[in-house]
Amino acid sequence: SKARTSGRRKPRVFRAEKDYTELAESAGRILRKGGLMLVSTNAASIAPIFFLKMVEDGLLRAGHKMDIAEFAGQGPDFPVTPDATPHLKSFWIRVR
């Protein structure tokens, strides 16, 4: 999954596989303790447990711990075979 970022610096490509920790850290810096955050990716190459680890690492850098409030995967209109990693991974996270 790629998205272009821009600003004063040279534009770069956002890659969930390597940039989500930084994104979670940035979000964590503006969240208060007890706040909720929705994190989501459709990168098939990222396993759900690794995705959560990236989010947790970013929040730890921002001074938070996290609790998973809820997980939402792909809907029934996009079935996943048992041997495949689901593309969509969404978690509601409560920070503490």
Side-chain angles (χ1 to χ4, degrees):
S1 67
K2 298 182 213 176
R4 295 218 176 263
T5 58
S6 62
R8 298 169 112 189
R9 292 184 246 151
K10 180 182 174 188
R12 66 182 177 100
V13 174
F14 177 87
R15 297 197 184 275
E17 297 86 352
K18 65 181 191 94
D19 296 325
Y20 218 101
T21 299
E22 182 182 342
L23 180 62
E25 179 182 2
S26 295
R29 294 198 182 283
I30 61 172
L31 280 171
R32 294 182 185 167
K33 292 192 185 310
L36 283 173
M37 178 168 84
L38 174 66
V39 295
S40 185
T41 184
N42 67 349
S45 61
I46 303 175
I49 194 73
F50 182 67
F51 179 55
L52 277 176
K53 179 72 173 132
M54 289 189 295
V55 172
E56 180 179 40
D57 289 349
L59 289 174
L60 284 172
R61 289 183 194 172
H64 291 295
K65 292 184 180 181
M66 69 176 208
D67 293 319
I68 301 168
E70 188 173 330
F71 168 75
Q74 291 181 199
D77 52 340
F78 289 99
V80 180
T81 61
D83 60 332
T85 300
H87 289 213
L88 182 60
K89 294 157 280 287
S90 300
F91 294 89
W92 281 100
I93 304 291
R94 182 173 306 278
V95 297
R96 50 184 167 94

